[in-house]
Amino acid sequence: MTQDGGTATAANRTTKVSLLTLTAMVVGSMVGAGVFSLPRRFAQETGVAGAMIAWSIAGTGMLTLAFVFQRLALREPELDAGIYAYAKAGFGEYTGFFAAAGYWASACVGNVTYWVLIMSTLGQWIPGLGAGDTVPAIAASTVGLWLFFLLVRRGIKEATSINRIVTVAKMIPIIVFVLLALFVFDPHAFASNWRGESYGSLFDQVSATMLVTVFVFLGVEGASVYSRHAKHREDVGRATILGFVSVLSVFASVTIVSYGILPAEEIAQLRQPSMAGVLDAAVGSWGTVLVSIGLIVAVLGAYLTWTLMAAEVLFIAARDRDMPRFLARQTDRDVPVNALVLSTVLSQVVLVSTYFSEDAFDFALDMTAVMTLLPFLLAAAYAVKLRITRETYDGERPATLRVDLVISSLATVYTAFLVVAAGVQLVLLSFIFYAPATLLFVLTRREQGRRVFGPVELILFLGAAVLAVVAVVGVAAGWIAL
């Protein structure tokens, strides 16, 4: 065996994890920076009525996606890197590459939001850290970025065990926040925040919150991405549903009870993490300390999960010969080390770019969400394709056929709506990554001695390149803001 091992022996030493650990991976990846920013992000866009409608839509839409991942995990058990593998199986290699690259990038950009929010939290007591986008903040985040690289480098089993402990620990301050907010809940403040007339039409209010809900729900597919480590294949679907239901109740509660503490206009002006400001108004300064401690624990736990997931996607794609083979290299502790290095490098690049953004946290949050939309849309569309062609549905009852068609169709419509709600500017910005990332696809094809692009693939690449150029021109001209 070579020093780091090869893909031939990878399957024999893959670390297996339990249903509890898989569920912790789902909860851990969703409960991170987003939940602590929910009060301000929602108050900037909508009132109580719009927030309730938004969570109803997001909850229903994301639940259909969770069901899609559950069903695909059972119907296509050999596809053990969910997001990427479903796109490839349904729509070809280059489309699958786009899904893998986009999902990987969203994980790496999402990790940057964690460091920005940690530094912004500490900036309450250390002014030099500002809102997480100052030079000292970026330098401190860089140190943390590479320290976590070394931690994950030690091994998958150690990292997932830590994540399970952190997942339990970080839920405590969030639950305490909801209970305390309910205790001091002001019905008058809640009623005055109900309609939110100053935000525009109800449709505009709801649409404006959609990317926020996408960000906080990222991770619902975590068990699917990490499915090669499941002890039992059916645990993948169970972990997805258990994790989703748990966090939906938490996210909606945090958002709604905040409207009963302060006027929406004041919540919209709070420093991130805005949950700390809301609790400070409710119980005093110790509330800020409690939320800040909980945030740091939660964010570091989510960061650990997303680091693992980012590297896993690259590794699986390389193992299946859809990324350059150097990314398939593993250590003797089951760590895809080169994929981990590349993921950390991308996070470092994005971290430096936040210095030039008007609002580092919101920019990173929105880009994380929009980069995930294409992989989600392709996975949902693949579920529709399986149902229409009846592939994997031989001998199924009519009721199963009807239910699966409804679920997959709703998931597809929902993710398509999210693309529209994201807006042209963010979608264009995503292609600044997609077009250059095609270099990895080119390297892969050349390694295999194959023609780089087929006719359809060439059209897709040219389209992505044109959109990337438009985005670059837009940023330079100032009509696309970072």
Side-chain angles (χ1 to χ4, degrees), residues 263-339:
E265 294 79 8
E266 292 185 28
I267 299 175
Q269 298 302 317
L270 291 174
R271 177 193 183 98
Q272 292 289 22
S274 53
M275 185 192 288
V278 172
L279 197 56
D280 182 86
V283 300
S285 59
W286 70 267
T288 299
V289 175
L290 174 67
V291 171
S292 298
I293 293 173
L295 177 140
I296 292 174
V297 173
V299 164
L300 292 180
Y303 180 86
L304 177 60
T305 300
W306 277 97
T307 300
L308 291 168
M309 289 169 65
E312 187 76 4
V313 170
L314 281 185
F315 168 76
I316 293 295
R319 187 195 67 179
D320 292 346
R321 304 180 70 216
D322 291 299
M323 286 281 185
R325 57 174 171 260
F326 78 91
L327 295 173
R329 191 180 184 190
Q330 284 184 291
T331 68
D332 55 4
R333 294 194 176 201
D334 196 27
V335 177
V337 61
N338 288 342

Side-chain angles (χ1 to χ4, degrees), residues 63-329:
L63 182 60
T64 60
L65 271 175
F67 280 133
V68 162
F69 288 122
Q70 180 192 42
R71 283 159 167 73
L72 289 177
L74 294 174
R75 294 193 175 280
E76 297 282 17
E78 74 283 359
L79 302 180
D80 57 5
I83 292 291
Y84 143 74
Y86 300 142
K88 176 189 173 184
F91 308 103
E93 293 183 11
Y94 190 47
T95 304
F97 169 84
F98 259 40
Y103 187 75
W104 168 64
S106 74
C108 296
V109 178
N111 282 345
V112 173
T113 66
Y114 300 147
W115 289 115
V116 171
L117 196 55
I118 287 175
M119 294 303 143
S120 178
T121 301
L122 296 177
Q124 298 172 90
W125 301 285
I126 307 174
L129 298 179
D133 55 357
T134 63
V135 172
I138 292 173
S141 297
T142 297
V143 173
L145 190 74
W146 290 98
L147 284 177
F148 265 79
F149 163 79
L150 294 176
L151 172 63
V152 177
R153 179 74 168 74
R154 288 179 58 84
I156 293 293
K157 190 174 183 62
E158 289 86 347
T160 53
S161 297
I162 293 172
N163 178 75
R164 185 167 57 184
I165 297 170
V166 168
T167 297
V168 175
K170 70 187 179 183
M171 293 299 294
I172 295 174
I174 299 173
I175 294 173
V176 169
F177 168 84
V178 173
L179 293 177
L180 288 175
L182 286 173
F183 183 75
V184 298
F185 189 84
D186 181 358
H188 177 72
F190 188 78
S192 65
N193 289 329
W194 179 261
R195 298 186 64 181
E197 290 98 336
S198 61
Y199 297 104
S201 70
L202 192 59
F203 177 82
D204 290 339
Q205 293 179 44
V206 172
S207 297
T209 64
M210 284 295 100
L211 274 188
V212 185
T213 62
V214 172
F215 178 80
V216 296
F217 277 128
L218 294 181
V220 67
E221 73 294 339
S224 179
V225 173
Y226 216 58
S227 59
R228 72 187 180 98
H229 295 275
K231 286 182 179 179
H232 308 287
R233 184 68 186 181
E234 58 270 21
D235 286 350
V236 176
R238 293 170 182 168
T240 299
I241 302 303
L242 286 173
F244 174 82
V245 172
S246 299
V247 299
L248 173 59
S249 59
V250 171
F251 293 159
S253 298
V254 167
T255 305
I256 301 303
V257 299
S258 297
Y259 286 108
I261 307 299
L262 290 169
E265 294 79 8
E266 292 185 28
I267 299 175
Q269 298 302 317
L270 291 174
R271 177 193 183 98
Q272 292 289 22
S274 53
M275 185 192 288
V278 172
L279 197 56
D280 182 86
V283 300
S285 59
W286 70 267
T288 299
V289 175
L290 174 67
V291 171
S292 298
I293 293 173
L295 177 140
I296 292 174
V297 173
V299 164
L300 292 180
Y303 180 86
L304 177 60
T305 300
W306 277 97
T307 300
L308 291 168
M309 289 169 65
E312 187 76 4
V313 170
L314 281 185
F315 168 76
I316 293 295
R319 187 195 67 179
D320 292 346
R321 304 180 70 216
D322 291 299
M323 286 281 185
R325 57 174 171 260
F326 78 91
L327 295 173
R329 191 180 184 190

Side-chain angles (χ1 to χ4, degrees), residues 254-417:
V254 167
T255 305
I256 301 303
V257 299
S258 297
Y259 286 108
I261 307 299
L262 290 169
E265 294 79 8
E266 292 185 28
I267 299 175
Q269 298 302 317
L270 291 174
R271 177 193 183 98
Q272 292 289 22
S274 53
M275 185 192 288
V278 172
L279 197 56
D280 182 86
V283 300
S285 59
W286 70 267
T288 299
V289 175
L290 174 67
V291 171
S292 298
I293 293 173
L295 177 140
I296 292 174
V297 173
V299 164
L300 292 180
Y303 180 86
L304 177 60
T305 300
W306 277 97
T307 300
L308 291 168
M309 289 169 65
E312 187 76 4
V313 170
L314 281 185
F315 168 76
I316 293 295
R319 187 195 67 179
D320 292 346
R321 304 180 70 216
D322 291 299
M323 286 281 185
R325 57 174 171 260
F326 78 91
L327 295 173
R329 191 180 184 190
Q330 284 184 291
T331 68
D332 55 4
R333 294 194 176 201
D334 196 27
V335 177
V337 61
N338 288 342
L340 181 62
V341 170
L342 191 58
S343 299
T344 307
V345 168
L346 179 57
S347 292
Q348 179 70 76
V349 171
V350 177
L351 179 62
V352 172
S353 72
T354 62
Y355 180 76
F356 305 97
S357 174
E358 294 180 5
D359 188 322
F361 178 75
D362 284 351
F363 171 70
L365 184 153
D366 290 340
M367 286 307 303
T368 300
V370 79
M371 293 300 298
T372 314
L373 296 183
L374 178 61
F376 276 4
L377 179 60
L378 290 171
Y382 179 56
V384 172
K385 181 180 178 181
L386 285 182
R387 169 57 188 84
I388 291 175
T389 62
R390 298 205 176 192
E391 184 181 350
T392 75
Y393 279 90
D394 290 342
E396 291 285 3
R397 295 177 302 171
T400 300
L401 295 175
R402 288 193 296 271
V403 169
D404 281 15
L405 180 60
V406 170
I407 288 175
S408 58
S409 298
L410 286 175
T412 303
V413 171
Y414 171 66
T415 48
F417 168 68

Side-chain angles (χ1 to χ4, degrees), residues 407-458:
I407 288 175
S408 58
S409 298
L410 286 175
T412 303
V413 171
Y414 171 66
T415 48
F417 168 68
L418 291 176
V419 173
V420 175
V424 174
Q425 292 189 13
L426 286 174
V427 173
L428 283 175
L429 283 174
S430 69
F431 282 92
I432 294 180
F433 168 78
Y434 279 123
T438 300
L439 176 62
L440 292 174
F441 184 81
V442 173
L443 290 174
T444 303
R445 286 288 177 91
R446 291 197 178 280
E447 281 180 354
Q448 299 168 6
R450 298 171 59 189
R451 180 180 178 182
V452 174
F453 293 114
V456 175
E457 292 170 339
L458 181 59

